[in-house]
Amino acid sequence: MEKDRYNHLNKYLKELFGERVLKICIDGNFTCPNRDGSKAQGGCIFCSERGSGDLIKNKCDNVYASIKNQVEKFLTSYRGERANKFIAYFQNFSNTYDSIENLKKKYDISLNSSDKIIGLEIATRPDLITDEVVELLSTYKDNYYVTVELGLQTANDKIGEIINRCYKTEDFVKACSKLKTAGINVVGHLMVGLPNESKEDILRTVKVFNECNCDGIKIHSTHILKNTELEKMYIRGEYSPITLDYYVEMVGMIISNLNSDIIIHRVTADPPKEIFVAPDWQLHKKIVLNSIERYLKENNITQGCEK
């Protein structure tokens, strides 16, 4: 059997916990400071109306009951039969954007919903990693596997302004430092194909992840969803999606320049079909994954081989 060319998340979790571990995606009824007006309106230009939570099911009106319901419904579904250990994953919008009291209540409900929950994963913005948030997350470390996802997307702050990110790379670096000092796992997001992005921009973003000693990375292409600013730019002819060949080449470049110990959580995304606009190739996940594996093999690329 051929050796893996990069560190896969599933294999890492299986080695860490001795068996398969899956994530339960949770909508915690959060919002975002560049969506509610405190920093900006509308969110990032690629972000859907549900803040990347379009595939999450089983929500209900009461937020606390909803969190518990989402976990329990998942565990009683066919997906809940595929593993015995799960990570409660607060996925969409900014999941540290609330009072510490409310954050604790939401996290606790998810963790206490089942003894099968062995981890807590929080997706948020780097400018929302306060000392108080780090202190709260640290209280879970003794009993749970704790991870924070930070959506840098790009280390080019000019592109950050174009995508309406409303924070700087400096904020990402500071947030990583706080979390790593506290012993909390950090996963960075990197997007390929942002407006005006160059290969050098992508390499610079990889360098930031390396220098921050990120534990993990999520790589995905920039795709266009309905009712987003990016869709308007696409319709006006101000933005053109990247090709599959270009994306595959960039993923190879990222992997070859990434620290060899970083865990790669994903190399492509799962866009919601009902609101998807372009590029068409992004809907064919198996083709994308097979294309990446073939490219890595043909070019003898392994993680960190260019470092």
Side-chain angles (χ1 to χ4, degrees):
M1 181 180 294
E2 185 178 0
K3 183 179 178 180
D4 291 335
R5 294 188 172 272
Y6 61 89
N7 297 321
H8 294 256
L9 175 65
N10 289 341
K11 183 177 180 180
Y12 167 75
L13 291 175
K14 188 172 183 178
E15 291 176 351
L16 185 64
F17 293 102
E19 60 182 290
R20 188 181 195 187
V21 178
L22 297 178
K23 295 182 185 180
I24 302 175
C25 296
I26 299 170
D27 185 333
N29 198 36
F30 290 93
T31 184
C32 193
N34 69 339
R35 183 176 286 271
D36 68 3
S38 64
K39 287 199 170 185
Q41 297 280 357
C44 293
I45 64 172
F46 49 77
C47 193
S48 70
E49 293 171 330
R50 287 195 62 188
S52 302
D54 303 275
L55 300 179
I56 299 176
K57 301 178 180 180
N58 302 312
K59 282 192 66 180
C60 56
D61 292 337
N62 181 286
V63 60
Y64 302 112
S66 179
I67 291 171
K68 185 176 179 63
N69 184 60
Q70 289 173 64
V71 174
E72 291 179 345
K73 290 290 187 181
F74 183 98
L75 292 175
T76 56
S77 71
Y78 75 93
R79 293 172 296 175
E81 297 177 354
R82 296 168 60 203
N84 295 309
K85 294 180 179 179
F86 300 86
I87 294 171
Y89 175 31
F90 285 83
Q91 181 184 20
N92 55 325
F93 293 121
S94 302
N95 294 275
T96 56
Y97 192 38
D98 206 338
S99 69
I100 294 298
E101 179 184 5
N102 286 344
L103 291 177
K104 178 173 172 50
K105 189 172 182 180
K106 290 179 180 181
Y107 301 161
D108 285 352
I109 288 172
S110 70
L111 296 172
N112 294 330
S113 295
S114 171
D115 58 9
K116 293 183 178 181
I117 306 296
I118 52 84
L120 175 66
E121 189 155 343
I122 306 297
T124 190
R125 296 163 54 94
D127 55 341
L128 294 177
I129 298 297
T130 63
D131 292 341
E132 292 77 16
V133 166
V134 174
E135 183 178 355
L136 171 62
L137 293 174
S138 295
T139 64
Y140 297 106
K141 288 192 308 174
D142 289 344
N143 298 309
Y144 297 97
Y145 172 78
V146 181
T147 302
V148 172
E149 292 186 11
L150 299 174
L152 178 61
Q153 320 304 356
T154 176
N156 185 327
D157 287 338
K158 291 184 178 179
I159 297 176
E161 292 177 3
I162 294 173
I163 65 176
N164 198 38
R165 191 178 64 182
C166 298
Y167 57 81
K168 296 185 179 298
T169 301
E170 176 184 352
D171 296 311
F172 178 86
V173 174
K174 290 179 179 177
C176 286
S177 178
K178 287 183 178 181
L179 292 163
K180 293 291 291 181
T181 299
I184 296 170
N185 294 298
V186 178
V187 176
H189 284 222
L190 186 156
M191 290 183 73
V192 177
L194 293 169
N196 298 346
E197 180 185 71
S198 66
K199 293 182 180 180
E200 290 72 25
D201 292 324
I202 296 172
L203 284 173
R204 172 56 187 157
T205 307
V206 172
K207 184 178 179 182
V208 169
F209 289 159
N210 288 339
E211 291 175 346
C212 288
N213 294 314
C214 288
D215 300 279
I217 183 175
K218 284 189 171 182
I219 309 166
H220 50 100
S221 68
T222 304
H223 54 256
I224 304 166
L225 301 178
K226 293 179 181 178
N227 302 318
T228 62
E229 184 59 33
L230 190 61
E231 183 193 27
K232 296 177 184 177
M233 294 171 63
Y234 175 63
I235 292 171
R236 293 194 299 261
E238 299 170 2
Y239 175 77
S240 297
I242 58 174
T243 65
L244 174 58
D245 287 345
Y246 178 80
Y247 181 67
V248 169
E249 180 187 348
M250 291 304 97
V251 171
M253 183 182 75
I254 292 165
I255 290 174
S256 64
N257 285 276
L258 198 64
N259 285 351
S260 60
D261 59 345
I262 291 178
I263 306 302
I264 298 180
H265 286 227
R266 73 181 183 200
V267 292
T268 187
D270 293 305
K273 294 181 181 180
E274 62 274 11
I275 60 171
F276 183 82
V277 177
D280 289 342
W281 59 264
Q282 182 65 75
L283 291 176
H284 304 287
K285 186 174 182 178
K286 286 187 177 179
I287 292 176
V288 176
L289 291 175
N290 289 339
S291 297
I292 291 171
E293 290 295 335
R294 183 168 58 251
Y295 182 85
L296 296 179
K297 184 175 182 179
E298 289 175 351
N299 292 277
N300 195 26
I301 292 172
T302 56
Q303 187 171 335
C305 65
E306 293 294 330
K307 286 186 60 60

